[in-house]
Amino acid sequence: MKVREAVLADAAEVSGFLQELAALGKRSLPSDAEYVRSNYISHADRIRCSVVEDEDGALLGLQILKRASEGNPYDVTPGWGIMARMCARVLRAVVWGRVLFASTLEAAQGAGLEKIDATIGASNPEGLGYYEAIGFRTYKTSETSISKCLEVSA
């Protein structure tokens, strides 16, 4: 397993597994390669966008960390971090999810973030369980999503 910064060339492969998540009802946002490029890999508020690869170089997942700006679409407090993780293979996600999160947490600390938000679809028990397992706690809910927060310590 290898964690590295995402590059534009990763967009098509990431798009493929995002489309699989959408087909499973675990994703409602766009899943095309251009969306991956503009909203994850090259986003202006991006702090870190990492991918994890298996031993053959296939992408297993993507994790992003952005700084919440004023008027962000997630209604996250400006200055907090916004984190999202998308995975290609849900069953193996627990193993590599912690490795990927260590890299993201380091970036959050380096960026001086005090808190990180993760908003997960209410119908995604795997995602909700992952964020709980790494220390995120629920602070806001809606009919379709649950927002969790992690206090970042240096």
Side-chain angles (χ1 to χ4, degrees):
M1 233 176 342
K2 175 183 168 186
V3 175
R4 64 171 174 77
E5 279 289 316
V7 295
L8 292 175
D10 295 326
E13 192 171 352
V14 170
S15 173
F17 67 74
L18 294 182
Q19 290 171 24
E20 290 174 17
L21 291 172
L24 292 170
K26 298 187 181 296
R27 180 175 177 81
S28 59
L29 294 172
S31 302
D32 60 277
E34 183 51 40
Y35 186 87
V36 172
R37 282 187 208 90
S38 63
N39 286 278
Y40 301 146
I41 299 171
S42 298
H43 194 276
D45 294 326
R46 177 177 91 39
I47 294 171
R48 178 161 296 166
C49 182
S50 301
V51 292
V52 64
E53 300 174 321
D54 68 12
E55 55 280 351
D56 298 321
L59 296 185
L60 300 173
L62 171 94
Q63 190 159 281
I64 60 165
L65 178 65
K66 300 179 194 180
R67 186 176 306 276
S69 56
E70 199 68 47
N72 66 79
Y74 309 103
D75 196 29
V76 172
T77 302
W80 283 25
I82 299 172
M83 184 176 133
R85 177 188 75 132
M86 287 68 70
C87 52
R89 299 176 187 146
V90 175
L91 296 177
R92 294 182 61 192
V94 173
V95 175
W96 58 259
R98 290 183 186 273
V99 173
L100 195 52
F101 179 64
S103 171
T104 300
L105 184 57
E106 180 182 302
Q109 292 166 334
L113 298 179
E114 292 180 19
K115 296 182 181 184
I116 302 172
D117 166 274
T119 299
I120 305 101
S123 63
N124 183 351
E126 298 91 356
L128 293 166
Y130 166 75
Y131 284 102
E132 277 290 319
I134 60 173
F136 281 73
R137 298 297 174 251
T138 300
Y139 76 97
K140 180 172 62 172
T141 61
S142 75
E143 286 185 25
T144 59
S145 65
I146 297 172
S147 296
K148 295 186 173 287
C149 176
L150 178 76
E151 303 267 343
V152 178
S153 57

